[in-house]
Amino acid sequence: MTGVLATGQLISHSYETSGTYSVELTVTDNEGATNTVSQEVSVTIPEITEVSPLSGVPGSTVIISGANFSPVASENNVQFNGERAELNSASETELSAIVPSNATTGLVTVTVEGYTAQGPEFTVEEVQQPKTLEVVVNTQGSMQDEDGYTLSVTGQDDRFIKPNDNVMYSDILENSVQVELSGIATNCMVDGENPRTVDLDNSDNAGYTEFTVSCSAPEPEITSISPTSGSTGSEVVITGSNFSATASENIVEFNGARAELNSASETELNAIVPGTATTGPVTVTVNEVTATGPEFTVIQTGSIEVNTLTSGSDLDTDGYTLIIEGISDQPIGINDTKLLESLPTGSYLVELTGIASNCQLSEELPNPRTLEVTENSTTSTTYSVSCSTPNEPPVAVIESFCQALDCGFTGTSSTDSDGEIVSYDWNFGDGFTASGDTVNHTYEA
């Protein structure tokens, strides 16, 4: 019971909420006797437990959750602040309603069989007009990133944009968007704010923004050169960073004289000291940006020319060896010329060795001899060697005849294949000597 009493043979009662109620009826006769009977009755009225979302534009869909709705859509009267809405679908616990075009902010209600359930307030939002946005990118400077950039706009898919390009967006509902340009190379920078906010809420429902990207070539840097001194024509390794891997794009100079390159990478250049180079700093220029390195000392050089002239007989075909101070030993033929180039200027001690015993050097110049090397010139010297057939020694032959202590000796059978015997010298073994081709000697008893 609800605590409400009524009398009469036929009555009606309205319940405030759904539920199951026990109804009692007491009847009394004319003599005052009574009888009471009770009966349970179930009553239902619509209830709203949730509205989602609680705001939206006309034409948007709203889900109304609750109980005791009619599964027949037409039997549910859904209103947004008094404006009836059409339903997409209906069940006893959920209604899918479309916000009426003339709806205003107010309560959501559901009426079923004359009973009305009141829900929360629904805020009707203003219908946004679609807007457009134009984004322009201008890239300037050297070493621009040809891969382009990534453009990000609130509520839109990321897009690729070239270094110099423009992109149009349409059907944007936001009144303002955030725009960001990313994927910028390390040698480039964006002028101004990035990301930036662009306002679209204007009479044209349109926005515009322009990104200016400034790029510059990374500065080359020289960390070392090796060696730090040498002659013209020698190779120097320049180590550093931000060089060009294309040799022709690097300008290498030795104190202002441009050098040719044997090879190039981003971290190393192999340069040839130019013929006109003088002592001074080494520089590398890439994309009009110059790095200055250590000083390179150009060693002035000249050449030594050694000639050999060998005459006579029984020449030594193995040739000779040149020993030059400060230089590795050099072989040279018996009639030959040896040119030693790129020698630092100064004095050098030169010696010809390996001369056969049957040959002798001219005494006109000493051996070893000192030669002076001067800048960009050649100092020459000649070694004259005369050879002859070596003398074969004679063959000595003794013939003797003795009678008692008296002996005779002769060496006349001795021979000399390449000359004549000019003397005979004897030693008799007893302390006495003599000379001549034939001699006599008496031994003591």
Side-chain angles (χ1 to χ4, degrees):
M1 296 287 291
T2 64
V4 178
L5 300 178
T7 59
Q9 191 175 28
L10 181 63
I11 61 172
S12 62
H13 176 70
S14 295
Y15 291 90
E16 294 180 357
T17 60
S18 300
T20 301
Y21 298 91
S22 179
V23 180
E24 291 184 359
L25 172 62
T26 302
V27 295
T28 306
D29 64 11
N30 57 348
E31 293 183 0
T34 63
N35 180 254
T36 300
V37 65
S38 64
Q39 179 181 329
E40 288 188 349
V41 295
S42 295
V43 296
T44 57
I45 60 174
E47 295 181 15
I48 299 175
T49 59
E50 183 182 8
V51 173
S52 179
L54 288 173
S55 64
V57 297
S60 60
T61 298
V62 175
I63 302 300
I64 304 169
S65 301
N68 303 320
F69 303 148
S70 173
V72 179
S74 60
E75 294 177 357
N76 301 278
N77 182 356
V78 177
Q79 295 187 351
F80 287 77
N81 201 25
E83 295 297 332
R84 184 161 184 169
E86 293 184 3
L87 299 186
N88 290 324
S89 61
S91 71
E92 293 181 352
T93 58
E94 185 176 281
L95 303 175
S96 175
I98 299 174
V99 180
S101 60
N102 55 350
T104 57
T105 298
L107 299 177
V108 175
T109 60
V110 176
T111 301
V112 181
E113 295 181 349
Y115 293 95
T116 300
Q118 181 175 289
E121 183 179 272
F122 181 86
T123 301
V124 178
E125 298 174 345
E126 181 183 354
V127 177
Q128 295 292 330
Q129 295 297 320
K131 302 173 179 64
T132 61
L133 170 67
E134 182 180 10
V135 180
V136 176
V137 174
N138 292 316
T139 303
Q140 58 191 17
S142 57
M143 289 192 69
Q144 298 181 14
D145 188 355
E146 296 180 358
D147 293 338
Y149 317 114
T150 298
L151 189 60
S152 302
V153 176
T154 303
Q156 306 292 315
D157 293 335
D158 289 350
R159 293 192 187 182
F160 166 79
I161 188 168
K162 296 178 181 179
N164 291 283
D165 200 0
N166 70 302
V167 172
M168 289 293 300
Y169 295 86
S170 58
D171 297 328
I172 300 175
L173 297 180
E174 290 86 352
N175 287 328
S176 65
V177 291
Q178 190 175 64
V179 184
E180 181 177 11
L181 195 65
S182 60
I184 311 297
T186 55
N187 66 302
C188 303
M189 63 180 300
V190 178
D191 298 344
E193 293 183 353
N194 184 39
R196 64 186 60 170
T197 300
V198 180
D199 183 23
L200 309 178
D201 188 17
N202 51 54
S203 59
D204 296 328
N205 288 318
Y208 174 87
T209 190
E210 181 174 334
F211 288 96
T212 298
V213 181
S214 299
C215 300
S216 60
E219 295 186 2
E221 181 182 5
I222 299 174
T223 56
S224 66
I225 62 173
S226 180
T228 56
S229 64
S231 60
T232 58
S234 61
E235 184 177 82
V236 176
V237 177
I238 304 170
T239 304
S241 59
N242 299 324
F243 303 148
S244 174
T246 303
S248 61
E249 295 177 356
N250 303 279
I251 299 176
V252 177
E253 294 182 332
F254 287 74
N255 202 26
R258 183 162 184 175
E260 294 184 1
L261 299 185
N262 285 333
S263 62
S265 72
E266 294 181 355
T267 58
E268 186 175 282
L269 303 175
N270 289 347
I272 302 300
V273 181
T276 57
T278 56
T279 296
V282 175
T283 60
V284 176
T285 302
V286 184
N287 293 313
E288 300 181 354
V289 180
T290 300
T292 301
E295 182 176 277
F296 182 84
T297 301
V298 177
I299 300 174
Q300 303 299 335
T301 63
S303 303
I304 290 177
E305 182 184 82
V306 179
N307 302 290
T308 55
L309 298 175
T310 305
S311 59
S313 59
D314 236 8
L315 306 183
D316 186 359
T317 57
D318 291 340
Y320 314 118
T321 299
L322 276 176
I323 299 177
I324 302 177
E325 182 182 10
I327 302 174
S328 59
D329 293 353
Q330 302 287 319
I332 188 170
I334 59 175
N335 289 287
D336 198 4
T337 297
K338 177 72 71 173
L339 181 63
L340 303 172
E341 298 179 295
S342 299
L343 301 178
T345 56
S347 300
Y348 291 84
L349 192 64
V350 181
E351 182 179 6
L352 187 69
T353 63
I355 301 173
S357 59
N358 67 306
C359 301
Q360 63 180 13
L361 196 60
S362 168
E363 296 181 354
E364 293 179 3
L365 293 172
N367 184 41
R369 63 190 61 167
T370 299
L371 301 180
E372 293 293 331
V373 174
T374 57
E375 181 181 346
N376 298 324
S377 64
T378 300
T379 301
S380 297
T381 189
T382 299
Y383 286 92
S384 297
V385 181
S386 298
C387 299
S388 60
T389 302
N391 180 48
E392 292 292 335
V395 178
V397 177
I398 298 176
E399 294 178 321
S400 63
F401 46 92
C402 294
Q403 185 175 2
L405 296 176
D406 295 321
C407 295
F409 300 93
T410 183
T412 56
S413 295
S414 300
T415 61
D416 187 355
S417 63
D418 58 356
E420 61 179 340
I421 298 174
V422 296
S423 67
Y424 298 83
D425 296 305
W426 299 87
N427 187 331
F428 300 117
D430 59 356
F432 290 92
T433 62
S435 62
D437 59 356
T438 301
V439 295
N440 295 312
H441 181 66
T442 300
Y443 289 93
E444 295 180 0

